[in-house]
């Protein structure tokens, strides 16, 4: 492997993207568990298919992954063209959170409506899920992960280096 290839900013951004998406999924699972324990409720409190919840979470993970990949591509492109100004993406993070929230609610409503063969369920389920703390937490986590990811990539500098073990620091 060429040593210069290991420091390719596109590969580093891609690896950081994968870790950010995995972090988002882990945070959502942990947050749903904690909220469920604190509120003494189920994440999906109606009779539904066993695959409804994972499909809803999978949709949000895909949405967050696409938004983060887009941000990483833009940041690497800007860095290659000499624009190294750090911009905290409040609007981009908010958009990611809203899209994740809408994806969660709409896909859940669609799948519930298809499962029950009743199209009127879509709106009722979507509105019910929209007002629950789980969906709000999911959107907030998407926003936080997006903003943290962009700031992390932007602060990487021109020559990102791998972290060193304590005994390697001389």
């Amino acid at each position: 492997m060429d040593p210069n290839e290991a420091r390719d900013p596109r590969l580093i951004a891609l690896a950081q993207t994968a870790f950010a998406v995995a972090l988002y999924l882990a945070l959502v699972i942990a947050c749903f568990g904690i909220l469920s324990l604190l509120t003494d409720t189920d994440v999906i409190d109606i009779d539904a298919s066993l695959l409804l919840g994972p499909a809803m979470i999978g949709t949000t993970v895909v949405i967050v992954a696409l938004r983060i990949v887009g941000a990483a591509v833009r940041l690497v492109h800007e860095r290659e063209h000499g624009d190294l100004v750090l911009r905290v993406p409040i609007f981009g993070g908010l958009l990611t959170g809203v899209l994740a929230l809408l994806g969660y609610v709409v896909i859940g409503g669609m799948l519930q409506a298809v499962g029950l063969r009743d199209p009127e369920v879509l709106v009722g389920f979507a509105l019910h899920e929209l007002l629950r703390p789980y969906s709000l937490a999911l959107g907030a986590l998407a926003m936080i992960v997006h903003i943290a990811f962009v700031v992390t990539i932007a602060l990487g500098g021109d020559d990102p280096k791998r972290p060193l073990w304590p005994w390697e620091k001389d």
Side-chain angles (χ1 to χ4, degrees):
M1 177 181 226
D2 185 19
N4 293 331
E5 188 178 300
R7 294 187 184 256
D8 184 8
R10 291 173 294 236
L11 293 177
I12 293 171
L14 181 65
Q16 288 174 331
T17 300
F19 281 110
V21 171
L23 171 70
Y24 174 70
L25 178 60
L27 286 173
V28 167
I29 291 169
C31 186
F32 277 18
I34 291 171
L35 281 174
S36 180
L37 286 173
L38 290 177
T39 61
D40 196 27
T41 60
D42 290 331
V43 177
I44 298 176
D45 60 352
I46 59 173
D47 290 332
S49 167
L50 292 176
L51 297 179
L52 180 64
M56 292 166 66
I57 298 298
T59 301
T60 63
V61 168
V62 169
I63 289 170
V64 170
L66 291 175
R67 292 281 302 153
I68 288 178
V69 166
V73 167
R74 184 180 45 79
L75 286 167
V76 169
H77 179 70
E78 287 176 358
R79 183 177 290 151
E80 288 175 348
H81 288 85
D83 184 18
L84 296 176
V85 178
L86 172 62
R87 295 178 198 93
V88 179
I90 300 296
F91 179 73
L94 186 62
L95 181 62
T96 300
V98 168
L99 289 175
L101 173 67
L102 288 177
Y104 178 79
V105 168
V106 169
I107 290 297
M110 287 173 45
L111 291 175
Q112 184 69 6
V114 167
L116 295 176
R117 293 180 180 89
D118 184 11
E120 295 173 0
V121 172
L122 188 139
V123 175
F125 180 85
L127 289 176
H128 174 73
E129 285 298 319
L130 185 63
L131 301 175
R132 301 198 64 217
Y134 301 102
S135 57
L136 299 175
L138 181 129
L141 288 173
M143 181 181 83
I144 291 168
V145 167
H146 180 94
I147 292 172
F149 172 78
V150 171
V151 169
T152 301
I153 291 282
L155 292 177
D158 280 339
D159 187 25
K161 297 180 177 136
R162 70 175 177 84
L164 298 176
W165 292 100
W167 58 84
E168 292 179 313
K169 297 176 184 175
D170 288 327

